[in-house]
Amino acid sequence: MVKFLPFSGTVTMINDFSVSPNSESEGCYKVMSLVDGSGRQVNFIVEPKTYFLDHAMVAVGDRVTGYYDADAPVPMIYPPQYRALVMVKETPSQNAKVDFFNSQLVSSDGMLKLNLSPGTQILLENGQRFTKSPANRNLIVVYGPSTFSIPAQTTPYRIIVLC
């Protein structure tokens, strides 16, 4: 189970990142710098397999949240550098959460509970329908309004199952 941690901020730089000189992967990896409201900076390494919600094109100045594996080893450098697993470009009409949801569809941090409806789309990363239960899985949840309770409850618009 991956322990997803988010970092939200404004994109200040996007550059190519070289994993090895003179290779076929040249130009396929990017380094994306984010700065949050308190001035903290994080560099995300964006790989070809990094999942961008809605295939959003991200540019300098955009507000985004990058999710990384909290248990993965990272180089001891400043600013911190993480391998981006999921990137979400902020939009005013929807919220997103990437986390493990248990058998009761409660996130691992206990802050969000999902109430599924027949209209909730449940998809794979490739856009195909997922036909099993989303419980006990890592999910990208796209939702709108939620309750003010703890955990907050919502009926998601869409769920992407991270297999």
Side-chain angles (χ1 to χ4, degrees):
M1 175 174 81
V2 176
K3 182 179 178 187
F4 290 96
L5 274 185
F7 183 86
S8 297
T10 302
V11 178
T12 59
M13 177 199 68
I14 302 172
N15 286 327
D16 286 334
F17 182 78
S18 180
V19 291
S20 64
N22 302 323
S23 73
E24 291 180 6
S25 65
E26 190 172 337
C28 296
Y29 292 77
K30 304 284 182 191
V31 60
M32 190 178 291
S33 293
L34 274 62
V35 175
D36 72 4
S38 62
R40 293 180 302 158
Q41 180 179 341
V42 163
N43 289 337
F44 280 107
I45 304 305
V46 177
E47 304 175 342
K49 65 181 181 178
T50 300
Y51 187 86
F52 279 78
L53 182 63
D54 297 327
H55 300 287
M57 185 65 66
V58 174
V60 171
D62 289 340
R63 294 255 327 137
V64 301
T65 299
Y67 291 86
Y68 61 95
D69 183 350
D71 295 328
V74 294
M76 296 297 291
I77 59 174
Y78 182 83
Q81 182 172 291
Y82 303 114
R83 193 176 120 234
L85 300 175
V86 177
M87 297 295 286
V88 177
K89 184 176 176 179
E90 291 185 17
T91 59
S93 61
Q94 69 183 20
N95 301 304
K97 183 170 184 77
V98 181
D99 206 344
F100 178 84
F101 287 79
N102 67 17
S103 62
Q104 303 300 309
L105 293 175
V106 175
S107 61
S108 68
D109 62 5
M111 298 304 288
L112 187 64
K113 179 176 182 356
L114 308 180
N115 298 317
L116 301 183
S117 78
T120 302
Q121 289 183 315
I122 304 175
L123 307 170
L124 293 167
E125 291 173 80
N126 62 13
Q128 300 303 302
R129 189 175 338 175
F130 183 76
T131 57
K132 303 294 181 188
S133 169
N136 294 312
R137 297 179 185 272
N138 290 318
L139 307 174
I140 301 171
V141 178
V142 180
Y143 63 100
S146 63
T147 65
F148 290 107
S149 60
I150 296 179
Q153 296 190 39
T154 189
T155 303
Y157 303 142
R158 185 169 29 127
I159 295 172
I160 295 105
V161 179
L162 300 171
C163 290

